[in-house]
Amino acid sequence: MRRWLHLGHRWLGIATGLLFATWFVSGLVMLFVGFPGLGEAERRDGLPALDWAQVRLSPSAALTAAGEDRFPRDLRLAMRDGVPVYRITGWDGTRRTVSASEGRSLPAIDADAARRIARSDPRAVQPHALGLVERDQWSVTARYDPLRPFHLVALGDARDTRLYVSARTGEIALDTDGRERLWNWFGAIPHWIYVTPLRAQADLWRDVVLWVSGVAIAAALSGVAVGLLRVRLRRRYRGGRVTPHRGWMAWHHLAGLVGGATLLTFIVSGWLSMNPNRWFGPRAPSPAMLERYAGTTALQLDLSLADLRAAACPDAVEIRLSHRGGAPLAMTVCRDGRQVPCCANPPPGRERWARAARALLPEADPPAITLLTEADAYWQGPGDARPLPVLRVVFADPEATWFHIDPESGEILNRMDRSGRIERWLFGALHTLDLGLLLRHPPAREAAIGCLSLLGLVTAVSGIVIGWRRLRRAGKPARGPA
């Protein structure tokens, strides 16, 4: 068994050594450069101020003119190329754009319109179109499917920022800059095996990552076992050494012993992040939950344009229209990020959301609701990315489901059942060290991840050298007597 264990680790290590080294290096890069995405502040900054003089149709009138037969999942009033529009997201995820002046569905935009839309971005210097993109390295995931294809527009700024403007709706869906595009080739792309043809097939990509990382787990486990069998802390080897090896083998043995737990923790938690066998529950509410939370999907939204305009801030860039608990709600998004509610009866607040939240799981008892004003183990993230305060809605259903709700807008921010809370510890705590003390001190967190990654990198690089030498010896012809 020992012989097979040694042989298994040798060849599994040769097969996965480069992967381990790549994962550790790319993980360090990802600490400082994330995968491109459009943040809410960036999206809001690129929206022009609403021109109320051109808005002639109420939300209900616009939906009726567009031929909708029920209230959509998401409805927003904003500007598109100098024209006010209603942006409609159906319950099946489809997107439509309707003129707020005439009520007609608007066609796809061309490159000139995309360039004019890009000029609203405060980073724009001299926008110019780079062509039409259906799917590329940065827009590969399925979340962008309802918006494809995209007009790629370069802003002409010093950071070489590029915007992805949906040809279908005119929305800016994504931005990238030169630094992000460069460093992600050494960060997220190799770390997540984010090769465009593979990632475009989500199920195949998931299976590949699960199997590749599964083989890597076997290599790491066998290495820890071999390392423990060969180490001597009491009856030491000649010269008082704890390892029988020298040179690269000694580096590999000792680094693997010290960093073996770290290496196993990183690779197993990364494997678990792919949700093998669907062990962990969904993180978002289902469409049925959202419909029950809305309380109605009736087409009528009893809000007038006069009321909307009167309640809006002077620098309003978007109006978000919805139903919550059967009553209409409009949230005005201001340039500075403030959200101003309009015309809601009952008014938005904890009591209203508590009543609406009961419909999320009607078969369960009424939930317990608390207001979080500080981050805790289940509501925190690097860089304080999660908003506060937030309402936590706790159900006593068999899955022990929690929801987090924005106390201002009533928006459901996430869903977390018992398995999701377990995943939070198995991935967030173990893979990215999202722990309270380290999250409150980002430099300490980055230093801890860096030190552990360097220890794993020494193990991987020494294993690569040993494996390469073994392969070279195996490739040489045996020398025998002439």
Side-chain angles (χ1 to χ4, degrees):
M1 287 299 296
R2 285 196 177 195
R3 179 173 180 273
W4 283 109
L5 185 63
H6 281 74
L7 286 173
H9 178 63
R10 175 187 299 167
W11 294 107
L12 284 171
I14 288 173
T16 60
L18 282 173
L19 277 173
F20 277 113
T22 299
W23 279 330
F24 282 116
V25 172
S26 58
L28 288 172
V29 173
M30 289 175 66
L31 273 177
F32 305 101
V33 184
F35 196 74
L38 186 68
E40 175 59 22
E42 292 176 317
R43 187 191 74 85
R44 186 178 64 245
D45 288 345
L47 293 175
L50 279 170
D51 184 358
W52 288 102
Q54 296 189 65
V55 181
R56 299 185 181 90
L57 274 73
S58 69
S60 296
L63 291 174
T64 301
E68 297 288 326
D69 59 359
R70 64 196 306 221
F71 201 83
R73 178 171 178 170
D74 188 78
L75 178 64
R76 303 187 182 197
L77 173 63
M79 299 295 293
R80 185 186 102 164
D81 192 20
V83 176
V85 297
Y86 285 100
R87 292 195 166 113
I88 304 168
T89 302
W91 290 96
D92 59 356
T94 57
R95 306 285 187 99
R96 294 183 62 189
T97 305
V98 175
S99 168
S101 300
E102 304 169 1
R104 61 185 180 88
S105 293
L106 297 179
I109 64 169
D110 58 18
D112 288 337
R115 189 171 62 251
R116 290 193 297 270
I117 290 170
R119 286 200 187 104
S120 298
D121 193 290
R123 298 166 293 184
V125 177
Q126 190 173 0
H128 56 281
L130 298 177
L132 200 63
V133 173
E134 181 66 33
R135 187 189 303 269
D136 66 3
Q137 184 65 58
W138 318 115
S139 61
V140 66
T141 59
R143 61 179 295 193
Y144 298 112
D145 287 351
L147 300 171
R148 302 184 196 280
F150 300 104
H151 292 287
L152 187 59
V153 180
L155 296 184
D157 60 333
R159 296 173 63 90
D160 191 19
T161 304
R162 298 175 183 179
L163 301 184
Y164 288 69
V165 183
S166 171
R168 187 175 297 182
T169 68
E171 297 173 69
I172 297 175
L174 173 67
D175 69 351
T176 71
D177 61 40
R179 176 175 174 269
E180 289 175 330
R181 294 192 296 274
L182 172 63
W183 282 106
N184 266 276
W185 288 103
F186 305 97
I189 294 172
H191 197 83
W192 295 337
I193 316 181
Y194 243 48
V195 184
T196 303
L198 176 63
R199 185 59 185 88
Q201 303 179 62
D203 290 338
L204 175 62
W205 168 75
R206 180 176 177 273
D207 289 342
V208 167
V209 174
L210 282 171
W211 279 102
V212 168
S213 54
V215 172
I217 290 172
L221 277 172
S222 61
V224 170
V226 169
L228 291 174
L229 287 172
R230 301 304 300 272
V231 71
R232 289 185 184 177
L233 299 178
R234 292 185 178 180
R235 297 171 51 202
R236 299 197 175 190
Y237 296 99
R238 182 178 300 175
R241 292 179 292 110
V242 297
T243 176
H245 306 296
R246 296 181 182 276
W248 283 105
M249 282 292 291
W251 277 102
H252 187 66
H253 187 196
L254 295 176
L257 283 173
V258 176
T262 295
L263 189 145
L264 265 176
T265 296
F266 279 165
I267 187 63
V268 172
S269 58
W271 179 73
L272 288 172
S273 73
M274 299 303 298
N275 198 3
N277 205 33
R278 309 297 180 185
W279 288 332
F280 307 116
R283 301 173 184 175
S286 67
M289 289 177 177
L290 292 174
E291 285 197 41
R292 292 196 298 267
Y293 184 67
T296 179
T297 55
L299 193 60
Q300 185 66 28
L301 188 77
D302 296 323
L303 299 176
S304 69
L305 283 180
D307 290 340
L308 290 175
R309 183 172 184 176
C313 46
D315 56 351
V317 296
E318 186 176 63
I319 310 292
R320 300 176 182 175
L321 302 136
S322 61
H323 285 113
R324 300 273 195 268
L329 175 67
M331 296 296 294
T332 300
V333 180
C334 308
R335 175 69 65 194
D336 60 4
R338 289 180 298 117
Q339 296 189 63
V340 180
C342 168
C343 327
N345 185 23
R350 180 173 176 176
E351 296 303 320
R352 176 175 175 180
W353 310 141
R355 288 192 293 272
R358 295 182 184 182
L360 290 168
L361 294 175
E363 68 280 4
D365 291 334
I369 300 179
T370 56
L371 180 68
L372 298 182
T373 57
E374 296 181 356
D376 68 1
Y378 299 102
W379 190 254
Q380 59 183 353
D384 296 324
R386 296 190 173 182
L388 286 168
V390 67
L391 291 175
R392 174 173 290 160
V393 180
V394 178
F395 283 93
D397 62 310
E399 289 77 31
T401 307
W402 294 1
F403 296 90
H404 290 94
I405 296 177
D406 186 323
E408 289 187 355
S409 67
E411 180 185 358
I412 300 175
L413 302 176
N414 84 341
R415 167 188 177 187
M416 179 183 288
D417 60 16
R418 184 182 293 107
S419 67
R421 292 189 290 279
I422 294 173
E423 182 192 20
R424 180 263 176 276
W425 292 106
L426 293 179
F427 178 71
L430 298 181
H431 197 79
T432 56
L433 301 189
D434 290 352
L435 301 168
L437 182 62
L438 292 178
L439 276 177
R440 289 193 294 271
H441 301 86
R445 174 176 172 269
E446 292 166 1
I449 294 176
C451 291
L452 294 174
S453 297
L454 288 174
L455 189 59
L457 186 60
V458 171
T459 306
V461 170
S462 58
I464 291 170
V465 174
I466 295 165
W468 174 248
R469 289 177 175 176
R470 169 67 62 175
L471 290 175
R472 288 185 62 189
R473 287 200 299 271
K476 290 181 180 179
R479 292 184 180 180

